[in-house]
Amino acid sequence: MQIFTYSQEMSPTTPDSAAQASWSRPTPSSASQSAATQWKDVDVISLGRRVRHLRKSAGLTLDELGAAVGAAASQLSLIENGKREPKLGLLQQLAGALGVGVDALLGAEPPSRRAALEIELERYQRSPLYESLNLPKIRISSRTPLDVLEAQLGLLRELERKLNEQVATPEEARRANGELRRMMRERGNYFPEYEAEAQKVLTAVGYAGGPLSQHLISDIARHLGFTLQHVGDLPHSTRSVTDLKNRRIYLTHNQRSDHDPRSVLLQALGHYVLGHETPSSYGDFLAQRVATNYFAAALLLPEHTTVEFLQQAKARKEISVEDLRDAFAVSYETAAHRFTNLATRHLGITTHFQKTHQSGIIYKAYENDGVNFPMDHTGAIEGQPACKAWTSRAVFDVPDKFSSYSQYTDTVNGTFWCTARTERSSGGEFSLSVGVPYQHVKWFRGRETTARATSRCPDPACCRRPPAELSDHWAGSAWPSARAHSHLLAAMPPGAFPGVDETEVYAFLEAHSGA
């Protein structure tokens, strides 16, 4: 049964050949592509083995084939061993000398079972997995016994399977997240391809402006060929479950959720619209999560109307995340995220965002304005403590929780203005903060604030190291019992669907399949 689930938590995933749910559209077969198109994606290992197979079938030596195409035997040997990519002209000469078309040399299927084994083993030996083992490479030739190829491949396949079963480490997750954030920073957190897909959907259902109603969202699901089912027994590890077999999306009846039910549905549809396949790595999973979140936000706050709203606010020097939230009937967090998508591209404003827990730990962050977020050696920001002088920390102590709190902060990277407010969820109280460098503050409501702080972080004396008088008085006389953050030690769940109990999901779908 084909499914796609949207999980509660961010967890790593590993490939599962038995559950490869694909959202991809059909693509042209290799046979229908031109030789020039195929040439762009040539597999030099497969090509080399095919040339060798055809040469031997023709009874030619390397010297004889080289003479026929005007190339040295040593050059052809490198091509056959997948160590050199021939130019298109030489490829055409080889095809002519071997009596086949160019397409035959570029075919996807290996010419024989032995060639298939040789290709697979060569790919393994060139992979990061094999490199990490520090083992010598086997020289693959026509004299390598078949049983040696099979035994070596069997060992490598089993090793890869064992590694794929292992859970991702927190460090792997942090590295993948850091790489993704660097890419987002380079693009100004703006993805025109997702904007375009969202606009196609909105145009198809006749969106005319304003907040995206529940009725219009139902029209979107229907337009994409899905029916919606609200149930009371949705698997605990999911926010939605999509049944591709019966074209149904299951959502919960429960309205007491930290997530906007509209966003949950739109994210589920985003996997389909954006053509996602089952993630092959934790990095893939994170990238897909960013993509579907972006797609959902681009539907809830469409680019054209949102940019027009923000440009008008900029002209009045009254940009406000609260106004954006109210105009499109979304959460403050969604409005803040959407502002970061559009601010640099359409307003010429660099910015930063952070979601910080009341304990001071940063849960989400983005920046392209040079603010000095704390980060570990992997480049990860999430999980790091925010400076106590920052707006994201100061807002927790503000008595007025109804209004947003604005503050200027002088940092080692310059002065930044930030506006923040707090929101409660099942995970506790969080602050949501959006900020800009001083030169951009003139466009924002709240710039008249007199609140100001100084941050010297990453200097430990700023807020990490206790003041000397406190240390002198209490050092050696305090023994706190730390609150255990068990989630920091817990293994991240593996599986084709991140953090999801697949047995529970399959049982759920089986129970509802006749509904």
Side-chain angles (χ1 to χ4, degrees), residues 338-388:
R338 191 64 175 139
F339 176 77
T340 69
N341 296 153
L342 304 173
T344 303
R345 176 62 174 258
H346 292 288
L347 305 178
I349 297 174
T350 54
T351 186
H352 64 265
F353 164 85
Q354 57 178 311
K355 180 177 182 178
T356 305
H357 189 259
Q358 58 190 355
S359 63
I361 299 301
I362 298 174
Y363 270 55
K364 295 180 182 179
Y366 164 78
E367 59 81 20
N368 73 339
D369 61 356
V371 70
N372 58 317
F373 278 143
M375 62 179 64
D376 65 13
H377 68 286
T378 68
I381 296 172
E382 286 79 2
Q384 299 299 304
C387 177
K388 293 179 180 178

Side-chain angles (χ1 to χ4, degrees), residues 43-53 80-82 105 107-127 140 149 153 156-157:
D43 180 343
V44 293
I45 300 175
S46 181
L47 169 64
R49 293 304 187 278
R50 188 171 290 276
V51 170
R52 176 186 292 168
H53 174 80
E80 289 190 355
N81 287 311
L105 293 182
E109 289 297 319
S112 66
R113 179 173 178 273
R114 179 184 178 87
L117 295 175
E118 291 180 357
I119 291 169
E120 185 179 1
L121 181 55
E122 186 63 41
R123 285 176 178 159
Y124 266 117
Q125 292 191 141
R126 298 187 188 189
S127 70
I140 304 171
L149 292 175
L153 276 172
L156 289 171
R157 288 168 183 161

